[in-house]
Amino acid sequence: TFLHSVSVCTLLVAFCRARGLDATTTYQAGLGGLVHDTGKALVPDEILNKPGRLTEEEFAVIRKHPQDGYDILKQSPGIGPIPLDITLHHHERYDGTGYPAGLAGTDIPIEARVVTVADVFDALISPRPYKRAWSIEEALAFIEEQSGKLLDPDCVRALMSNLPRLHEISAVFVRHGLGDLVRRLGVASVLERAGAVLQWGAGARST
């Protein structure tokens, strides 16, 4: 979850800069990517790391993590509305089939719609106990297929317009192994690099 959150943070900052969003929004969106799975801290490891299909009861526990994360972060100083929206709504889907509120289309906050694409992309290209890592080409084909269904088509287009940066991120976080980076440098050092990404985002041009 930690490695995934660092990756999503980096993707979000890259997306926001590619779209020319202002520095404050870019920083807050990147912060949202970093903290969006906070609620998973309350999910037992045996569910998070289960190699097989989840039972209905286990999936019900997983489905609580957006609200749990929102409740935790709402009590945290310095966490603004954008990271809170991202945390609460990053599992909503464009067609209304997501959770926790079943929002659809533009009823989902724009930052959450963007993070959903980044979240899905990184989840697909990363290895999980229950699946292999997909190639970038496989992940992009799935995302294009879900454009206008699970995913906001405008956000999908933003992803597709930033393919060189995505390949660069994939090389660092997947092929070179962010897990190896953490083992060699330590969590604090990786967080320092995530902080540098946020500061890079804060250098986005104002609108």
Side-chain angles (χ1 to χ4, degrees):
T1 296
F2 167 70
L3 308 183
H4 168 67
S5 295
V6 173
S7 298
V8 171
C9 165
T10 305
L11 286 164
L12 270 178
V13 169
F15 288 175
C16 289
R17 285 189 63 112
R19 297 182 69 190
L21 298 182
D22 65 271
T24 299
T25 300
T26 300
Y27 181 92
Q28 290 294 316
L31 181 60
L34 200 58
V35 302
H36 75 284
D37 271 338
T38 294
K40 284 187 176 178
L42 302 182
V43 178
D45 286 345
E46 57 267 26
I47 294 179
L48 279 180
N49 299 322
K50 183 176 179 178
R53 182 182 295 274
L54 296 178
T55 66
E56 288 295 326
E57 292 79 11
E58 290 167 336
F59 189 57
V61 174
I62 288 284
R63 285 168 63 99
K64 292 173 59 182
H65 83 269
Q67 184 67 58
D68 287 342
Y70 176 88
D71 292 341
I72 293 169
L73 293 173
K74 196 173 182 181
Q75 308 304 317
S76 304
I79 301 294
I82 290 176
L84 288 174
D85 276 346
I86 286 173
T87 300
L88 183 60
H89 296 301
H90 69 279
H91 278 288
E92 302 289 359
R93 294 297 180 254
Y94 197 71
D95 61 3
T97 60
Y99 61 89
L103 300 180
T106 56
D107 288 338
I108 306 168
I110 179 59
E111 294 85 7
R113 280 179 271 147
V114 173
V115 81
T116 297
V117 177
D119 191 38
V120 169
F121 177 78
D122 183 72
L124 291 175
I125 65 172
S126 302
R128 291 287 187 268
Y130 49 85
K131 74 167 189 68
R132 65 173 178 82
W134 291 21
S135 69
I136 287 184
E137 292 71 24
E138 289 172 316
L140 292 177
F142 176 83
I143 284 172
E144 282 193 301
E145 178 187 331
Q146 296 303 321
S147 179
K149 301 174 186 176
L150 300 181
L151 305 174
D152 182 332
D154 289 339
C155 297
V156 170
R157 280 191 287 272
L159 176 89
M160 298 301 176
S161 70
N162 206 26
L163 290 182
R165 182 64 177 152
L166 294 179
H167 280 277
E168 182 181 338
I169 290 167
S170 175
V172 173
F173 288 146
V174 180
R175 293 170 190 168
H176 292 179
L178 186 56
D180 291 338
L181 203 63
V182 171
R183 283 187 286 274
R184 285 190 289 109
L185 302 178
V187 170
S189 184
V190 172
L191 281 175
E192 181 181 346
R193 282 159 174 75
V197 168
L198 291 175
Q199 291 304 319
W200 174 65
R205 65 180 180 271
S206 299
T207 57

